[in-house]
Amino acid sequence: MMSANRCHFLTGFCLVFCATVVPALAQSGIPMTTVAAPAQPNTIQLPAASKVDSEIWHPNDAGGYAVRNVTRPTLTAFRRVGKPSLAAVIIAPGGAFLGLEMDKEGWQAARWFANHGITAFVLKYRTLPTPPDQKVFVAELDKMISGQKAAFAPPEDTPAEALEDGIAALRYVRANAAEYGINPKRVGFMGFSAGGFLARSLVEKGGADKPDFVAPIYPNMAPMSVPSDAPPMFVAVAADDFLLTREKGLPLLESYRAAGKSIEFHLFSAGGHGFGTGPAGSPEEGWMDLLYHWMRTQGLLDTNMTGK
């Protein structure tokens, strides 16, 4: 039976991965206007079947950049500054696989890493199709949020195209490690929300291409199939996040522990879903410093190129 829970948002995109009914007046808050694609220097085109660029850029509910209808995946590089590290992180923004929060869950995190000496890449992966007209899109999104039948809905797990783009990103970074001055054995993958779903899928299904370390942030908290060569994992989530409260216990954590694999888990007292890099004054403020500390204690920031 469906429950009348509060709808949780990822800066505008409702993530209805659970069977939830929300108040009829709930709305996305996304503007009905579109914007030109922003400048994205140091961007690399990844392989994709589609030759047609169908993406639509628009403001999110906080005024930042969001994009949907992505058909041609890209990686945008943020080169490190300051004290160098040989590690690299690929960042996958969230958006329910219906769009991508490029600012809040992509570029902001990448700049943080670069300013801490870690090369970062923001992955713009393919998303599910939505109506080209922005007004129609917002109207259908509001229907979906209010529990009505809409023209689209989030998938239950990572779509095949997004998984392919994640693997392509890992292959590109490793193949070009010398150009960026990084160790190809220290390429990690961090994903927010839907990007966290993708991060999990890369561990489960990435085979030899799986990341060397992984950081799913407010991801799917359900059990996962943990391979024997699973990389160390860092997880951060708020106690009132619907992706956690819908579960009994901590099944993602328990799966990794049962497999005997390394996992660090941070549960914040509040914050809901979509806290990004951690707003000042919130329980999650400074969580990326915890991630940096974890990377250092895992030996990922060692400047010895010959080491793992």
Side-chain angles (χ1 to χ4, degrees), residues 83-162:
K83 186 177 180 181
S85 162
L86 299 180
V89 180
I90 299 168
I91 304 166
F97 297 108
L98 300 174
L100 302 175
E101 286 290 343
M102 299 300 292
D103 254 333
K104 182 179 179 181
E105 297 176 342
W107 302 331
Q108 288 182 20
R111 285 190 287 268
W112 189 97
F113 278 115
N115 289 333
H116 285 73
I118 300 168
T119 303
F121 300 82
V122 176
L123 173 62
K124 185 175 68 180
Y125 54 92
R126 283 172 286 178
T127 57
L128 299 179
T130 52
D133 185 284
Q134 183 71 2
K135 292 181 180 179
V136 174
F137 166 69
V138 174
E140 291 297 318
L141 183 63
D142 287 343
K143 284 183 184 178
M144 185 184 78
I145 291 169
S146 64
Q148 302 175 54
K149 184 174 181 177
F152 51 79
E156 293 184 1
D157 208 340
T158 306
E161 293 81 4

Side-chain angles (χ1 to χ4, degrees), residues 6 8-9 218 237-242 268-275 284:
R6 176 177 175 270
H8 298 258
F9 296 95
Y218 40 89
V237 68
D240 55 352
D241 190 317
F242 80 105
F268 298 104
S269 60
H273 191 78
F275 53 73
E284 316 85 49

